[in-house]
Amino acid sequence: MRVARSIGELTGLRAEVPAGHRVGFVPTMGALHAGHASLVEQARALTETVVVSIFVNPLQFGPNEDYARYPRPLETDLERCADLGVDLVFVPSVNDLYPSGRQVSVSAGTMGTVLEGAARPGHFDGVLTVVLKLLNLVRPQVALFGRKDAQQLACVQRMVVDLNLDVRVLGGETVREPDGLALSSRNVFLSPTERALAIDLATALERAAAQDTLTTALGAAHAVLDRAGLDPDFDLDYLAAVNPETFAEVASDAGGEVLLVAAAVVGGTRLIDNATLHLREPVDPPAVPRLPSPR
């Protein structure tokens, strides 16, 4: 495994990739877990060369968020990448990726201003800016992102379409603990009591996914989340049913595939999760017979 710690080193090592090899790319912020490993394995199955980036991106953190304390176990992450058979790891510095005088950023548009974007203004602009830079530098044929961050995945896929980027963006399934909690690098911040409370987010979505109408799905989720909200350490930010491609909220009588997304702050740690609902299609009301017009 090779490690590039600057753009110059990455450029040189990328040039050594054999002609004809497809490159799979997994961008991460480090603190790697089994969810990241599943993305690497997916990339390995699809391509001949796998590149992972490790970069805690300051542009996607707000002024009162956890950028300074975000876990950075770099040496452990590099060992894990080696064990997974990663070919190249890119570990840039902030100054290398964002040189002095930088002015241009990417806007996530309307999709980036709702739900997670409303709670964290500018977050998805920061995500897309760094993802575009990384895609330009790594030049992969395939890029993998986790479906747990569903709004991020949708924004990246929209950027690829709108900016005509020559890369295939795929989502990897959410990897969970045995009790259902979605894996996240931020889970390390949870105390044992908070972790037990955080499971309610996954439980609510699981129960919602078992329903066949949106009304009953939301009711099942709120039955769990409202009870969790009685604990002062659990603060539900949002629970919303959206179109998985546009993140526009859907009507209460929506049918087919709908994404239920949720976010909560548990003991000061922000957690997000989602579930795909397969809803019964609404039945059109019977046509009202037309009476003959009077003569």
Side-chain angles (χ1 to χ4, degrees):
M1 185 182 79
R2 312 290 292 278
V3 179
R5 298 179 183 271
S6 70
I7 291 176
E9 290 180 3
L10 174 66
T11 301
L13 292 174
R14 177 64 177 84
E16 295 179 9
V17 174
H21 270 214
R22 293 166 299 171
V23 174
F25 178 44
V26 180
T28 82
M29 293 206 300
L32 304 182
H33 50 64
H36 298 108
S38 70
L39 296 177
V40 170
E41 291 165 359
Q42 189 175 348
R44 171 63 65 201
L46 295 170
T47 63
E48 290 77 37
T49 298
V50 176
V51 180
V52 169
S53 65
I54 298 175
F55 179 68
V56 183
N57 177 32
L59 264 62
Q60 66 192 70
F61 289 81
N64 299 315
E65 295 184 352
D66 55 356
Y67 174 71
R69 72 182 187 121
Y70 196 86
R72 295 170 170 83
L74 180 58
E75 293 309 313
T76 301
D77 286 343
L78 292 176
E79 290 174 6
R80 183 152 201 171
C81 285
D83 291 341
L84 289 168
V86 173
D87 299 289
L88 172 59
V89 181
F90 181 38
V91 189
S93 69
V94 173
N95 289 337
D96 198 25
L97 210 53
Y98 297 127
S100 176
R102 182 191 67 85
Q103 298 184 39
V104 178
S105 296
V106 179
S107 170
T110 302
M111 192 188 304
T113 64
V114 299
L115 299 173
E116 204 62 15
R120 306 176 67 187
H123 169 71
F124 290 112
D125 294 351
V127 169
L128 294 190
T129 297
V130 75
V131 168
L132 180 60
K133 290 173 74 70
L134 291 170
L135 291 176
N136 284 336
L137 291 167
V138 176
R139 292 179 287 117
Q141 281 70 49
V142 180
L144 286 301
F145 295 80
R147 293 188 184 278
K148 181 183 75 68
D149 299 293
Q151 192 170 359
Q152 170 180 278
L153 174 60
C155 285
V156 171
Q157 289 175 326
R158 185 74 256 171
M159 177 181 72
V160 166
V161 171
D162 287 354
L163 300 185
N164 302 106
L165 302 182
D166 187 17
V167 62
R168 182 183 178 197
V169 174
L170 300 177
E173 294 303 320
T174 301
V175 178
R176 299 182 180 276
E177 298 283 4
D179 57 14
L181 182 66
L183 288 179
S184 169
S185 299
R186 287 186 169 92
N187 288 353
V188 298
F189 297 143
L190 298 169
S191 70
T193 302
E194 292 165 352
R195 193 188 180 289
L197 195 58
I199 295 169
D200 284 334
L201 199 62
T203 301
L205 293 169
E206 181 183 19
R207 294 187 181 177
Q211 309 301 314
D212 64 356
T213 72
L214 184 52
T215 299
T216 57
L218 290 172
H222 274 296
V224 176
L225 296 174
D226 291 349
R227 184 175 64 251
L230 297 175
D231 191 307
D233 282 334
F234 188 97
D235 182 19
L236 179 67
D237 186 348
Y238 60 77
L239 175 71
V242 301
N243 179 301
E245 294 182 358
T246 66
F247 266 71
E249 292 203 42
V250 300
S252 59
D253 63 347
E257 186 173 299
V258 169
L259 190 67
L260 190 62
V261 293
V265 177
V266 182
T269 300
R270 185 176 185 82
L271 301 175
I272 60 174
D273 204 346
N274 63 81
T276 299
L277 308 181
H278 300 282
L279 303 178
R280 185 176 67 228
E281 293 289 353
V283 178
D284 292 332
V288 177
R290 296 182 62 183
L291 297 176
S293 51
R295 293 185 179 274

